[in-house]
């Protein structure tokens, strides 16, 4: 018997006997014989713990990981530094083995930390209300599009082509099955093309979706997009990088009605793409229209402060087919990691991490241009990620860098054929000047 | 430090809990890099605490939670089984956590093999052709499955199939997920044994039906013995049969959804396959489909050719993407190690153990608590506290009283078709001894309903907070902490 | 359970007070008891047009939502904004707490509704 099954065979037999049953078979009498599986599943032979450990270590070694390489690859998933405290605390069983906090009396830890998380997201984004998290930044955008259409009772969203290509794909999937039209608008010199946006606005446009900094790392024309959207009584949905918000104007101030974003940068490892978390924040007037869980403050029978899941009538377990979304489980533990990360870095640390990324990214950019092997693509301000045009094909360039223990930037031609040779390079606070100089040196040699 | 303080309330300007390197590249003025109009004027109000402040704060918070490692957690429909520690340790290997989703495929062959194997193993367990690992949770899997069904019908030109049938006993996510895929829902009643009412089902079948969403065993913990007939009815009407895998812990190695006649299945790796629930996620909700639906799965899928694994994005009929990258990969790692440690025998024993434990509880409590469907159940049993309710004590009160005994209460007031429902799912992880403790507590509470009802009505008595005022929370929502002016 | 005389009632547990060509619509004592503490109400907007059977608004408690329907066609001329700040009024004084007032032309729709006595019988059957 497996170490994960508590009862011994003798105990199991005793229990059966006590119920007046003869064998395990008697427990499955309701399953018609024709659908019973009478042979073993075709699965690998079970591994003991030592066998499992060595098998998995071998498998892990087949992945070249960022701890052995300098990582200049971003494009939506960033290699920011994670303090040791984060994993230490989220590894406490009381956090990670608990379910959704349905019984508040024994879930105050989860509930209070979500309340703190909601506060931090509101502070960063400049919005009034945040939920407890979504699956990731892209699905948060999909849900934001649906919410906007429901809120303003219109059926079309305009999405900037400077939004992450995968996010645009997810928005498309979420919208097309609901009969919502998704129209993309273009960019000019790395930022959204305001004229193109204006020309595509119509009386059925529910929302304009913009990412800031955008997929190219460029600071977007958020305010201008908001003005156009609002003039047509549509909403502005902004997808933002939370680290950038230590420096950049909160999207709420720039006129965004719904602010979402990928929260991975906040204390969550790259994890080959997941689990991450999406944050989701709105103005107060949309409080009852947002998807997902929300925690609120209240008092107990003795007047003591406490926290509960609230505004639950929006949700699927009550409103069923009329719910604002079907989301149930979200990414609570990833949101907890973000909360702990933001606590540790705090007001000053987050700004330092953002400024270090900004400075190092600009240093890298300037040095790359100086090699003469790369040319500027856009003349627009950027934060921690930028595009340069490479003379050598990007795949060959990255291959060469890999030999020097460097994971190079994203090959932009995969998603933007109009930018051939485009190399999207991300620089966090992690790489040292020495590592950057090696990158520049190797990239310049080719 | 105040025991119930928020992290913001223990903040002291100037304190820090981080250590970052000095800037080693030539520093430029921030305003020279980003025009002032884009910069924020005031810093976000984030905590300023020492590292120990932070560690103590979150450690204290954790102590206010009940986890599976703390004690019995028989939350029905949630499969709160033990989360093996080796899964945690192995999923934290750098080779899994420190890899970027856009790394060249040749540099992540281990991760791709894991995903490929998982597709194969989950296909085998469910009797499906292929499995996508992209959905992030059960409800996300449901939505994905529903979209696949819609895309399938539309591809065949059957655009009139806009209605999804959902039994009244279904999880709330079912109708909500069908709506996310653009379907209208039709509710069908359960029969007097908790199964799908065959006549009611037949009466709603038409060429507008896209399919039926079913949980089997259903939310009453009962296996629908008419499943073959149900499948026939749905298929004859041209519909697709969808399997909600929330209750799959009852059938591993015992019966496969594919053999029952289901065409689309989602699984909850954080329930059935031992990945932890994390206080509300991250989960993972893979979706498996039969052969004719494979072209519609989200992209990419992992394929294997000439000795190496690769991501196949060339899927013209795919519904697209439901999430960035490839799903909650690190959660999949935990389920993968679980399946490798269990093997085929082990998984069957899981379901046998889970079903045995549920029946044992039903047997030992049914003289005190009404068992509306008194027959062999599967991995969970559903009581009604109607007898106790008649004496003035509600299911909620009983649940709260259980807290005093150190147990997480069962799921309450679900399924909706049972009055005063109390849904117990013990899982295979629990020993007879812990079940007996729970049974003893439940019997004592029943006795208290007669002898000392106040004890139950005023419960819990020894938790960090008492019953919280949910009405106040909803009437005057306070959803964030506000800094004092 | 209170049932006020002189009002019209629906099977969805709404009451209607007719004053000339205006109909004030609220939810009954029976409805508020089944919902429990009401925490939120969503009202229509003035000038909104409705047909009989349309959803006029929603009433929410902590764990339940109930649509409020109008069985009278017409245009909203007034809404009870007081309820937005104090939805608990519907628990305390259900028959004072109208949600909206509709101006109607088709009086025949009124004939479809129950009077207090019929509604009392209807509620007994519902339980």
């Amino acid at each position: 018997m497996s170490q994960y099954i508590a009862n011994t065979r003798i105990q199991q037999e005793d229990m059966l006997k006590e119920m007046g049953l003869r064998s395990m078979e008697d427990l499955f009498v309701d399953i018609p014989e024709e659908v019973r599986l009478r042979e073993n599943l075709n699965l690998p032979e079970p591994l003991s713990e030592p066998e499992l450990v060595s098998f998995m270590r071998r498998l892990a070694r087949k992945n070249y990981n960022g701890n052995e390489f300098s990582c200049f690859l971003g494009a939506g998933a960033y290699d920011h530094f994670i303090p040791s405290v984060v994993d230490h605390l989220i590894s406490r069983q009381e956090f990670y083995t608990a379910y959704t906090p349905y019984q508040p009396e024994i879930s105050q830890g989860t509930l209070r930390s979500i309340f703190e998380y909601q506060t931090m997201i509101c502070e960063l984004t400049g919005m009034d209300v945040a939920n407890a998290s979504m699956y990731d930044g892209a699905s948060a955008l999909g849900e934001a599009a649906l919410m906007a259409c429901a809120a303003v009772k219109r059926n079309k969203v305009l999405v900037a082509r400077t939004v992450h290509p995968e996010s645009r794909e997810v928005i498309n999937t979420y919208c097309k099955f609901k009969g919502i039209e998704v129209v993309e608008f273009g960019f000019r010199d790395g930022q959204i093309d305001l004229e193109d946006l204006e020309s595509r606005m119509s009386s059925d446009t529910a929302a304009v979706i913009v990412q800031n900094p955008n997929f190219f790392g460029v600071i977007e024309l958020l305010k201008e997009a908001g003005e156009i959207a609002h003039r047509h009584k549509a909403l502005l949905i902004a997808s933002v990088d939370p680290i950038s918000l230590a420096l950049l104007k909160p999207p709420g101030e720039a006129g965004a009605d719904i602010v979402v974003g990928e929260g991975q940068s906040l204390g969550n490892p790259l994890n080959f793409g997941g689990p991450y978390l999406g944050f989701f924040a709105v103005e107060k007037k949309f409080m009852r229209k947002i998807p997902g869980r929300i925690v609120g403050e209240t008092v107990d029978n003795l007047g003591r402060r406490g926290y509960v899941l609230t505004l639950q009538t929006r949700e699927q377990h009550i409103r069923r087919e009329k719910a604002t979304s079907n989301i149930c489980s979200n990414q609570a533990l990833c949101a907890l990691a973000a909360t702990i990360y933001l606590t540790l870095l705090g007001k000053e640390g987050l700004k330092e991490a953002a400024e270090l990324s900004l400075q190092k990214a600009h240093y890298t950019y300037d040095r790359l241009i100086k090699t003469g092997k790369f040319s500027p693509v856009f003349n627009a301000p950027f934060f921690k990620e930028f595009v340069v045009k490479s003379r050598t094909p990007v795949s060959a360039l990255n291959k060469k860098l890999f030999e020097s223990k460097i994971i190079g930037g994203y090959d932009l031609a995969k998603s933007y054929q109009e930018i051939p040779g485009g190399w999207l390079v991300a620089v966090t606070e992690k790489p040292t000047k020495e590592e950057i100089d090696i990158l520049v040196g190797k990239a310049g040699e080719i | 430090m105040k025991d119930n303080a928020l992290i913001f309330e223990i903040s002291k300007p100037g304190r820090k809990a981080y250590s970052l390197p000095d800037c080693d590249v030539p520093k430029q003025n921030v305003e020279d890099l980003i025009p002032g109009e884009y910069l924020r004027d005031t810093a976000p109000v984030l905590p300023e605490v020492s590292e120990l402040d932070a560690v103590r704060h979150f450690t204290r918070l954790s102590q206010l939670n009940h986890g599976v490692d703390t004690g019995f957690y028989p939350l029905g429909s949630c499969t709160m089984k033990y989360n093996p520690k080796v899964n945690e340790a192995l999923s934290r290997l750098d080779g899994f956590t420190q890899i970027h989703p856009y790394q060249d495929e040749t540099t992540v062959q281990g991760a791709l093999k894991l995903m490929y194997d998982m597709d194969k193993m989950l296909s085998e367990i469910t009797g499906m052709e292929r499995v996508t690992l992209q959905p992030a949770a059960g409800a996300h899997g449901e939505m994905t499955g529903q979209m696949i069904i819609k895309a399938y019908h539309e591809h065949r030109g059957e655009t009139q199939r806009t209605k999804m049938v959902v039994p009244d006993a279904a999880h709330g996510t079912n109708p909500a997920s069908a709506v996310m895929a653009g379907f209208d829902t039709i509710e069908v009643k359960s029969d007097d044994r908790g199964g799908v009412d065959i006549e009611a089902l037949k009466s709603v079948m038409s060429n507008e039906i896209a399919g039926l969403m079913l949980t089997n065993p259903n939310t009453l913990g009962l296996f629908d013995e008419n499943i073959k007939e149900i499948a026939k009815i749905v298929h004859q009407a041209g519909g697709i049969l969808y399997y909600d895998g929330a209750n799959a812990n009852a059938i591993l190695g015992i019966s496969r959804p594919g053999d029952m006649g289901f065409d689309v299945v989602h699984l909850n790796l954080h329930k059935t396959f031992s990945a932890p629930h994390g206080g509300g996620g991250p989960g993972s909700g893979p979706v498996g489909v039969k052969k004719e639906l494979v072209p519609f799965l989200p992209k990419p899928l992992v394929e294997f050719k000439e000795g190496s694994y690769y991501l196949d994005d060339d899927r013209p009929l795919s519904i697209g993407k439901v999430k960035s990258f490839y799903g909650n990969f690190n959660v999949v790692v935990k389920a993968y190690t679980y399946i490798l440690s269990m093997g085929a025998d082990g998984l069957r024993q899981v379901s046998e153990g889970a079903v045995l434990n549920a029946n044992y509880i039903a047997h030992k409590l049914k003289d005190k608590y009404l068992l509306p469907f008194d027959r062999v159940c599967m991995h969970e049993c559903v009581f009604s506290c109607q007898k106790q309710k008649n004496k003035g004590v509600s299911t909620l009160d009983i649940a709260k009283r259980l807290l005093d005994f150190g147990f997480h209460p069962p799921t309450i007031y679900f399924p909706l078709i049972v009055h005063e429902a109390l849904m117990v799912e013990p899982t295979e992880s629990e020993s007879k001894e812990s079940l007996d403790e729970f049974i003893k507590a439940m019997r004592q509470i029943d006795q208290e309903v007669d002898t000392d009802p106040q004890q139950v009505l005023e419960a819990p008595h020894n938790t960090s907070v008492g019953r919280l005022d949910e009405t106040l929370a909803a009437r005057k929502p306070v959803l964030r902490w506000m800094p004092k002016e | 359970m209170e049932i006020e005389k002189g009002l019209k009632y629906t099977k969805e547990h709404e009451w209607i007070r007719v004053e000339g060509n205006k109909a004030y619509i609220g939810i009954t004592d029976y409805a508020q008891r089944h919902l429990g503490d009401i925490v939120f109400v969503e009202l229509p907007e003035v000038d909104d047009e409705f047909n009989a059977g349309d959803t006029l608004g929603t009433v929410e408690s902590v764990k339940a939502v109930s649509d409020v329907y109008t069985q009278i066609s017409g245009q909203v001329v007034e809404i009870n904004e007081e309820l937005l700040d104090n939805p608990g009024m519907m628990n305390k004084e259900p028959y004072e707490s109208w949600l909206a007032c509709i101006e109607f032309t088709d009086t025949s729709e009124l004939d479809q509704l129950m009077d207090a006595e019929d509604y009392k019988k209807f509620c007994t059957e519902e339980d």
Side-chain angles (χ1 to χ4, degrees), chain B residues 66-346:
Chain B
H66 178 101
V68 171
D69 294 359
T70 314
F72 192 33
Y73 212 129
L75 194 61
S77 240
C78 301
T79 316
M80 297 302 283
K81 63 172 68 180
Y82 173 63
N83 310 125
K85 304 311 160 195
V86 68
N87 298 355
E88 296 301 310
L90 294 174
S91 69
R92 279 170 166 79
L93 292 173
D94 287 349
F96 299 124
T97 57
Q98 308 298 320
I99 46 175
H100 192 288
Y102 285 149
Q103 268 177 240
D104 193 86
E105 285 160 359
T106 57
T107 70
V108 287
Q109 285 293 301
L112 293 176
K113 174 188 159 53
L114 188 151
M115 291 172 66
Y116 185 83
D117 286 354
M118 200 59 172
D119 172 352
K120 291 277 172 290
M121 294 196 297
L122 295 178
S123 295
E124 167 67 12
I125 290 168
T126 54
M128 294 289 137
E129 181 76 14
R130 289 300 297 268
V131 169
T132 172
L133 304 171
Q134 200 174 95
H140 206 211
E142 290 176 19
M143 181 193 86
T144 305
Q146 294 295 301
M147 288 173 170
I148 290 168
I149 293 171
K150 195 149 191 227
Y152 167 79
H153 287 311
E154 282 174 1
H155 180 67
R156 289 161 52 99
E158 303 212 335
T159 49
Q160 83 287 355
R161 294 195 180 269
T162 56
K163 297 192 170 77
M164 184 57 61
V165 184
V166 184
D168 56 1
H171 296 111
T173 47
N174 284 188
S177 298
V179 168
M180 292 289 282
F183 288 123
D184 296 322
T185 57
I186 298 180
E187 196 173 272
V188 286
K189 283 196 319 251
S190 301
D191 65 16
D192 52 14
R193 295 183 70 181
V196 174
D197 185 321
I198 296 287
E199 290 312 311
L201 182 67
K202 277 184 184 159
S203 73
V204 299
M205 284 298 127
S206 74
N207 69 351
E208 291 183 0
I209 295 299
L212 167 69
M213 292 184 90
L214 204 59
T215 314
N216 196 22
N218 61 26
T219 56
L220 293 159
L222 305 177
F223 194 91
D224 204 317
E225 51 201 354
N226 297 324
I227 185 60
K228 274 304 218 190
E229 194 181 348
I230 292 168
K232 200 168 141 198
I233 293 167
V234 173
H235 288 151
Q236 270 176 356
I240 296 290
L241 199 56
Y242 182 91
Y243 185 86
D244 173 345
N247 292 347
N249 209 43
I251 53 141
L252 301 173
I254 306 276
S255 180
R256 307 194 304 173
D259 301 335
M260 297 177 209
F262 287 92
D263 309 293
V264 186
V265 176
H266 91 262
L267 294 169
N268 298 64
L269 299 189
H270 50 292
K271 293 179 179 176
T272 318
F273 295 94
S274 88
H277 203 281
S284 175
V287 172
V289 296
K290 289 261 177 80
K291 197 168 182 184
E292 51 198 357
L293 291 153
V294 170
F296 306 96
L297 284 171
K299 58 184 182 182
L301 284 178
V302 180
E303 304 289 358
F304 182 73
K305 200 165 78 185
E306 290 160 13
S308 59
Y309 299 90
Y310 67 100
L311 293 160
D312 181 17
D313 263 307
D314 184 19
R315 304 181 47 73
L317 294 180
S318 164
I319 59 162
K321 298 199 65 130
V322 293
K323 188 184 180 306
S324 288
F325 312 118
Y326 328 114
N328 281 344
F329 170 77
N330 202 268
V331 179
V332 176
V333 175
K334 295 173 193 186
Y336 182 72
T337 53
Y338 179 71
I339 296 173
L340 290 186
S341 20
M342 301 309 286
D345 269 334

Side-chain angles (χ1 to χ4, degrees), chain A residues 22-33:
Chain A
R22 284 157 306 170
S23 72
M24 284 285 186
E25 268 306 296
D26 290 350
L27 293 171
F28 296 99
V29 287
D30 276 355
I31 305 184
E33 186 54 36

Side-chain angles (χ1 to χ4, degrees), chain A residues 288-289 311-314 317-319 322, chain C residues 39-40 42 60-65 67:
Chain A
R288 291 174 194 272
K289 303 213 180 291
L311 305 181
Q312 292 189 70
T313 47
R314 299 165 296 110
H317 60 288
I318 293 177
R319 210 178 281 235
K322 288 182 183 163
Chain C
V39 297
F40 178 68
E42 196 171 25
E60 299 185 5
S61 63
V62 172
K63 297 271 162 80
V65 188
D67 283 333

Side-chain angles (χ1 to χ4, degrees), chain B residues 417-435:
Chain B
I417 56 171
V418 172
H419 287 292
E420 299 292 316
L422 183 97
M423 182 194 226
V424 188
E425 181 180 8
T427 84
E428 74 285 359
S429 306
E430 299 297 334
S431 65
K432 177 174 178 294
E433 288 81 352
S434 61
L435 304 183

Side-chain angles (χ1 to χ4, degrees), chain C residues 102-113:
Chain C
I102 285 186
E103 203 169 71
F104 61 92
T105 46
D106 181 3
T107 52
S108 71
E109 283 170 353
L110 293 172
D111 303 336
Q112 314 292 319
L113 304 173

Side-chain angles (χ1 to χ4, degrees), chain A residues 41-97:
Chain A
L41 290 165
N42 182 17
L43 295 174
E45 284 301 309
L47 299 178
S48 67
E49 184 166 342
E51 290 166 325
L52 180 68
V53 169
S54 69
F55 176 82
M56 291 300 284
R57 282 186 188 281
R58 272 202 308 277
L59 198 60
R61 274 199 297 274
K62 290 185 179 149
N63 301 322
Y64 294 84
N65 76 77
N67 278 0
E68 297 160 1
F69 286 72
S70 319
C71 182
F72 292 90
L73 180 56
Y78 298 94
D79 184 29
H80 281 284
F81 177 73
I82 303 172
S84 312
V85 170
V86 176
D87 194 50
H88 178 85
L89 287 173
I90 66 165
S91 301
R92 293 190 62 87
Q93 70 81 16
E94 299 90 335
F95 285 132
Y96 83 83
T97 75

